[in-house]
Amino acid sequence: MADTLLISAGDVIEVQLTSETVVIDTPQGRQVEQGHITNRMRLFIKQIDGKEAKFDFEDTELGVRETQRVAVVRGRLKKRSEPVNLILFNLASGEKDCFEPGLSAYLRRKPFFGPLWKAAALSILVVLIFWAVSNFMERDGHGGTMSIYLAIMFGFLTYPVFWWICGLWDRLTERLRYKNARKSFIAEMEARVRAYAPAGA
């Protein structure tokens, strides 16, 4: 099943705010684990089609109150049973909150041709070039088979080098690719949810 984008919009009929503090047992007694206080917001929404739905969000700083119209963008991923939150839009105030864990999981894609395949393609190219050049330079007519052996050997020797270079390049460019994909995705979602904005917003 391919990843699916889900957009829900409607008017807020109830807001529930809760917080959860992680407590751990230590030899000195139970202690609150620093940095593990999770704020949760549950929104009950009457959607555009009249159906009611609830949505849960963690650690959002977006202010939402009853009667305001919101749009929730979620993504259904292949290996997860529940959709992940991507963006919450408050269409009444024009504000939004992006959920980075969900965006990262939804937008970060492994390239179709990873470092292994790229390195293999480059090595094959080296084999072909080496064989063509060696045959062209051979004048006595006895270098055909030897040229093939040498070309294949040279391709095997260069494969690990190409693999390392391609892997390094993918790691260095991953952040830039994600940044560009994130920017384009948010702009696209802003344009799509604008259709659900209340009149005058």
Side-chain angles (χ1 to χ4, degrees), residues 11-22:
D11 298 322
V12 178
I13 55 179
E14 185 179 349
V15 181
Q16 293 181 354
L17 300 175
T18 59
S19 63
E20 180 182 278
T21 303
V22 176

Side-chain angles (χ1 to χ4, degrees), residues 54-75:
K54 68 176 177 67
F55 302 93
D56 294 317
F57 307 93
E58 289 189 0
D59 292 325
T60 178
E61 298 180 357
L62 185 66
V64 179
R65 59 181 173 80
E66 295 177 9
T67 73
Q68 287 186 320
R69 181 164 294 182
V70 299
V72 182
V73 180
R74 297 175 298 157

